[in-house]
Amino acid sequence: MTDKKRVRIADIAEAAGVSTATVSRVINEKDGDIRISDETRNRVLEAIDRLGYERNLFSFALRAEKTGIIGAVNRNPSGLFMSNLAHEILREAHERDVEILMAATYSEETSAKAQISMLQGQLFDGFLLLGDMPNYHKMIEQLRKLDKPYVSVFGGTSALPPLVHVDERKGMKLALDHLTELGHHKIAFMGSPSWVGIGERLEAFEKYLHRKGIPLPSSYMCTMGDLAYAPESGQSFTKPSEHLLGAKHAQELMQLPDPPTAIFCATDGFAMQAIYGLSMLGISVPHDVSVVGYDGVPMTAYYNPPVTTVQTPIDQIAAEAIRLLLELIDSPDTANMNNRVILEPKLIVRKSTARPDC
Amino acid sequence: MTDKKRVRIADIAEAAGVSTATVSRVINEKDGDIRISDETRNRVLEAIDRLGYERNLFSFALRAEKTGIIGAVNRNPSGLFMSNLAHEILREAHERDVEILMAATYSEETSAKAQISMLQGQLFDGFLLLGDMPNYHKMIEQLRKLDKPYVSVFGGTSALPPLVHVDERKGMKLALDHLTELGHHKIAFMGSPSWVGIGERLEAFEKYLHRKGIPLPSSYMCTMGDLAYAPESGQSFTKPSEHLLGAKHAQELMQLPDPPTAIFCATDGFAMQAIYGLSMLGISVPHDVSVVGYDGVPMTAYYNPPVTTVQTPIDQIAAEAIRLLLELIDSPDTANMNNRVILEPKLIVRKSTARPDC
DNA sequence: CTGTTAGCGCGTTCAT
DNA sequence: ATGAACGCGCTAACAG
């Protein structure tokens, strides 16, 4: 019903005794523009405040050919990592005073065309593509066809630029240097290579061990095939066998005739599951076995024991992604469409790792 | 950039040799309107198809004072249940051909005003409020002030109408009748009353047992205080002690001097965690103890053993919620703002429950 | 520094 | 059954 009519720019103009154009200028004043006298501006601002003016998005968008909104889309926002990333994006957007809408697609089947439906295509000035998405490449194709700026964030190995990512190999080197310096030579791997980034971690893991001449029995490799999604959470798995897998695998690992002295978990969630599973069997971390996680999710700091992990700089990722996208939106001509921002992870040594002999 | 100009209604008009008004009529033709000759309509439709016309959302919204989009918002879309609900809402919306945008707020602190920011207030013709939300009541206040239609879906006991919910007491009766008919008299409760709906389940649980004269030792009550969110997932917990809590509590329960013969879990996730935790100790379900879950998440059907659970009819919830909201949007005068649609859960007996003596 | 004017693309009278 | 003309609220171009 909306019976109270909205306040328009014309109402403000009348109240302040100026023209609509002046009001518009006051509202849209950029940093450098000082073309309005302080006195007029104040009168206008006072009127805006007093009458409670709010800009009409549609008139604005119709005229300005932009909405001022950017869309952050992800397939399924579950999971420790994605959830944190989403938070960080929102926080950063708030800080930079950009409007952002966090939209989940949830769809495995829906076509890319529907996902960036006409609606959303017009709605957003640009897209942040978060994590892996079912129709990623088709979406990119659509976005390019529409000339819509986008930035892929943590989109895995097959992501197309412009993108923001972390140096997974560097992260793996950090983790494995730490373990080998501690004296570990029997290191197991746990993670599902089908998840974003994990494939790279697995590959780097194998290469590292090979290069160092450290043997890697296949029984040490807990790669879990095609899990559905939400890796870190131990949830949303489609098959029963995938439930609490981390705990189970850790237990099996330690019941091997020649068990590892360290377990590298491709995800913090798995690391915590593993520690939990081991504690049930009375196996102590790090005394009996070292465990290292990956991602640097806040919770690892408070876990028992606190988990040694490779921290992905999600705050930087969020900041860079937004910066890049704004650049693409604001100056599409000079901006580099092939930009690849690769950020450095860092190792956080806590209490879940120790020398193998102590 | 956007160098290719979008095709406008005027382009279609020209191509079809008609006026823009006619094109507009063809596009917006309501069911009852048969004011266009078939021949003209076909010419117009052909042109629309050929030129690939897509309506400009902003011109439309500016003129029609509506967008045709409804917003489904939730605080944190994690968790088996919310994730399923979101899917179901999207599916139903697709079926009814309504545009819907799934938006996550993620914010614990953000003000309600910001959450329904000016932007979103204009963007959506109506809101679906999914699950519990941090600033629920402030949001409702805002929405009412804006005269924005909304429907609360699964918003817990404090939700305001119009709302769609399930009959929690009925569900509890179903579960507990089943257990008592099987011959159980030692029944434990597991769940965090701070989550949506769980408070009601807890209350109904206690009342039921009291009415039947079944004793309820406090050691049987695993109520877990203020967990963060994402109950069913075993994830996103803020405190380490909350990780995999279901498994731990089930184990403790069975190590009591006088252990229960059945465990009611307020959530399927907990039920599965419990079964898992028990299996680690060699305690068999349902042989040694019965476990019943709640929500009827698909995965329970494939768990080992398949879990007896109370199924929340999320498909009906989604359908009713959308129906109700559309009613509110389309005929705000006749629609009942105090509508409370309460749906019936149903019991699904599977393999996790049995007689206590077998 | 400020006002006037002309559309952005569409739905909708009022004509015919 | 169809077309011409107007205006939704706003910003940009051009005056002054």
Side-chain angles (χ1 to χ4, degrees):
Chain A
M1 286 279 62
T2 325
D3 27 42
K4 319 172 186 176
K5 281 174 186 152
R6 294 185 71 98
V7 181
R8 297 155 309 159
I9 217 174
D11 301 322
I12 304 297
E14 191 184 0
V18 296
S19 74
T20 59
T22 302
V23 178
S24 176
R25 286 192 192 101
V26 172
I27 294 170
N28 296 26
E29 207 170 14
K30 304 270 186 275
D31 294 338
D33 291 5
I34 326 175
R35 312 177 313 195
I36 310 272
S37 76
D38 282 0
E39 197 253 325
T40 316
R41 182 185 11 260
N42 288 336
R43 267 215 323 281
V44 172
L45 289 175
E46 184 274 334
I48 286 180
D49 196 51
R50 184 159 50 81
L51 304 199
Y53 169 75
E54 282 174 6
R55 175 172 79 184
N56 182 310
L57 174 65
F58 309 117
S59 319
F60 171 79
L62 187 56
R63 195 58 238 234
E65 296 191 316
K66 67 182 180 192
T67 61
I69 310 168
I70 83 182
V73 311
N74 52 0
R75 142 166 88 160
N76 193 80
S78 305
L80 252 29
F81 182 75
M82 282 309 289
S83 177
N84 273 316
L85 180 58
H87 265 113
E88 212 57 41
I89 298 259
L90 253 25
R91 197 194 46 65
E92 179 69 19
H94 183 74
E95 212 157 82
R96 296 184 70 129
D97 205 36
V98 328
E99 293 272 18
I100 203 162
L101 205 52
M102 204 74 187
T105 69
Y106 278 98
S107 41
E108 303 289 328
E109 320 83 9
T110 319
S111 73
K113 176 133 192 171
Q115 287 185 28
I116 323 215
S117 75
M118 164 188 54
L119 177 176
Q120 301 188 31
Q122 298 183 60
L123 210 44
F124 301 134
D125 291 345
F127 282 81
L128 247 29
L129 270 22
L130 269 32
D132 65 331
M133 321 220 19
N135 296 306
Y136 177 79
H137 288 278
K138 283 187 198 146
M139 290 187 68
I140 296 290
E141 196 182 325
Q142 277 284 322
L143 289 171
R144 289 193 169 163
K145 198 179 298 175
L146 293 170
D147 259 310
K148 275 283 173 211
Y150 69 91
V151 171
S152 300
V153 182
F154 215 74
T157 42
S158 69
L160 265 26
L163 59 81
V164 179
H165 208 334
V166 287
D167 188 339
E168 300 285 7
R169 279 186 310 183
K170 172 76 181 294
M172 288 304 296
K173 180 166 162 36
L174 253 22
L176 294 172
D177 276 352
H178 172 62
L179 288 176
T180 53
E181 278 163 18
L182 245 24
H184 291 277
H185 295 288
K186 301 196 237 171
I187 308 175
F189 179 95
M190 203 160 96
S192 170
S194 62
W195 296 333
V196 170
I198 314 286
E200 290 167 84
R201 293 174 201 172
L202 171 57
E203 198 185 316
F205 179 83
E206 288 174 329
K207 278 197 182 139
Y208 184 97
L209 262 51
H210 182 74
R211 204 168 53 241
K212 291 263 183 180
I214 300 174
L216 178 55
S218 64
S219 57
Y220 281 12
M221 298 299 295
C222 301
T223 54
M224 303 161 190
D226 272 336
L227 299 196
Y229 43 65
E232 315 84 356
S233 62
Q235 71 119 33
S236 286
F237 297 126
T238 50
K239 298 171 206 152
S241 59
E242 294 163 4
H243 197 58
L244 298 184
L245 219 45
K248 181 161 155 269
H249 277 294
Q251 292 173 349
E252 288 169 0
L253 237 23
M254 295 310 288
Q255 280 158 356
L256 250 28
D258 185 26
T261 62
I263 305 175
F264 170 81
C265 300
T267 260
D268 285 332
F270 274 133
M272 293 184 284
Q273 282 186 36
I275 291 172
Y276 181 78
L278 294 173
S279 77
M280 279 187 175
L281 297 187
I283 298 172
S284 151
V285 173
H287 189 271
D288 301 319
V289 61
S290 288
V291 172
V292 8
Y294 204 108
D295 279 346
V297 152
M299 193 180 140
T300 50
Y302 311 109
Y303 204 67
N304 180 23
V307 185
T308 294
T309 186
V310 177
Q311 185 163 57
T312 302
I314 44 174
D315 51 344
Q316 288 178 47
I317 292 184
E320 283 298 302
I322 292 183
R323 189 188 59 69
L324 216 58
L325 186 56
L326 289 181
E327 200 176 305
L328 250 24
I329 292 173
D330 293 336
S331 37
D333 302 313
T334 60
N336 179 6
M337 271 293 290
N338 289 316
N339 232 327
R340 294 169 175 269
V341 178
I342 311 291
L343 297 168
E344 299 276 297
K346 78 176 185 224
L347 180 73
I348 303 189
V349 177
R350 290 200 272 244
K351 302 292 183 194
S352 68
T353 47
R355 306 183 64 82
D357 44 29
C358 80
Chain B
M1 292 268 58
T2 326
D3 28 42
K4 318 174 185 175
K5 282 174 186 154
R6 295 184 71 98
V7 324
R8 298 153 308 161
I9 218 175
D11 300 323
I12 305 296
E14 192 184 358
V18 296
S19 74
T20 59
T22 303
V23 178
S24 176
R25 286 192 190 102
V26 171
I27 294 171
N28 297 33
E29 207 170 13
K30 302 270 187 274
D31 293 337
D33 292 3
I34 327 176
R35 312 177 312 197
I36 311 273
S37 76
D38 282 0
E39 198 253 325
T40 315
R41 185 187 4 261
N42 288 337
R43 266 214 325 279
V44 171
L45 289 176
E46 184 274 333
I48 286 179
D49 196 51
R50 185 159 50 81
L51 304 200
Y53 168 75
E54 283 175 5
R55 173 172 80 184
N56 181 310
L57 174 64
F58 308 116
S59 320
F60 171 80
L62 187 56
R63 197 71 182 93
E65 296 190 318
K66 69 181 179 193
T67 61
I69 310 169
I70 82 181
V73 311
N74 52 1
R75 141 166 88 158
N76 192 78
S78 303
L80 253 28
F81 182 75
M82 282 310 289
S83 178
N84 272 315
L85 181 57
H87 265 113
E88 212 56 42
I89 298 257
L90 252 25
R91 198 196 45 67
E92 178 70 20
H94 182 73
E95 212 157 81
R96 295 185 69 131
D97 206 36
V98 326
E99 292 271 21
I100 203 163
L101 204 53
M102 204 74 187
T105 67
Y106 278 96
S107 42
E108 302 290 327
E109 320 83 8
T110 319
S111 72
K113 176 131 192 172
Q115 287 185 29
I116 324 216
S117 76
M118 164 189 54
L119 178 174
Q120 301 187 32
Q122 298 182 61
L123 210 44
F124 300 135
D125 292 344
F127 281 81
L128 248 29
L129 271 21
L130 269 32
D132 65 330
M133 320 221 17
N135 296 305
Y136 178 79
H137 287 277
K138 283 186 199 147
M139 290 186 69
I140 296 290
E141 197 182 325
Q142 276 284 323
L143 288 171
R144 290 194 169 161
K145 196 179 297 173
L146 293 170
D147 258 312
K148 273 285 171 209
Y150 69 91
V151 172
S152 300
V153 182
F154 214 74
T157 41
S158 70
L160 265 26
L163 60 80
V164 179
H165 208 334
V166 286
D167 189 340
E168 300 285 5
R169 278 186 312 183
K170 172 77 181 298
M172 288 304 297
K173 182 166 160 35
L174 252 24
L176 294 172
D177 277 353
H178 171 62
L179 252 19
T180 54
E181 279 163 17
L182 243 24
H184 290 278
H185 296 288
K186 300 197 237 172
I187 308 176
F189 179 96
M190 203 159 97
S192 171
S194 62
W195 296 333
V196 170
I198 315 285
E200 290 167 84
R201 293 174 200 172
L202 172 58
E203 200 185 315
F205 180 85
E206 289 174 330
K207 278 197 181 138
Y208 183 98
L209 262 50
H210 183 73
R211 204 168 54 241
K212 292 264 183 179
I214 299 174
L216 177 55
S218 64
S219 58
Y220 281 13
M221 299 298 296
C222 300
T223 55
M224 305 163 189
D226 272 336
L227 300 197
Y229 45 66
E232 314 86 354
S233 61
Q235 71 119 34
S236 286
F237 298 126
T238 49
K239 298 169 206 154
S241 58
E242 293 162 4
H243 198 58
L244 298 184
L245 219 45
K248 182 162 155 265
H249 277 293
Q251 292 173 348
E252 287 168 0
L253 238 23
M254 296 310 288
Q255 280 158 356
L256 251 27
D258 185 26
T261 62
I263 305 175
F264 170 82
C265 300
T267 260
D268 285 331
F270 274 134
M272 293 185 283
Q273 281 186 36
I275 292 172
Y276 180 79
L278 295 173
S279 78
M280 279 187 176
L281 298 187
I283 298 172
S284 150
V285 173
H287 189 270
D288 301 319
V289 60
S290 289
V291 170
V292 9
Y294 204 108
D295 280 344
V297 153
M299 192 179 141
T300 52
Y302 312 107
Y303 206 65
N304 180 24
V307 185
T308 295
T309 186
V310 177
Q311 184 162 56
T312 302
I314 44 172
D315 51 345
Q316 288 177 47
I317 291 184
E320 283 298 301
I322 292 183
R323 191 187 58 70
L324 217 59
L325 185 56
L326 290 181
E327 201 176 304
L328 251 24
I329 292 172
D330 293 336
S331 37
D333 303 313
T334 62
N336 179 6
M337 271 295 289
N338 289 317
N339 232 326
R340 291 170 177 270
V341 177
I342 312 290
L343 297 169
E344 300 275 297
K346 77 175 188 229
L347 181 73
I348 302 189
V349 178
R350 290 200 271 243
K351 302 293 185 194
S352 69
T353 48
R355 308 182 63 84
D357 44 28
C358 81

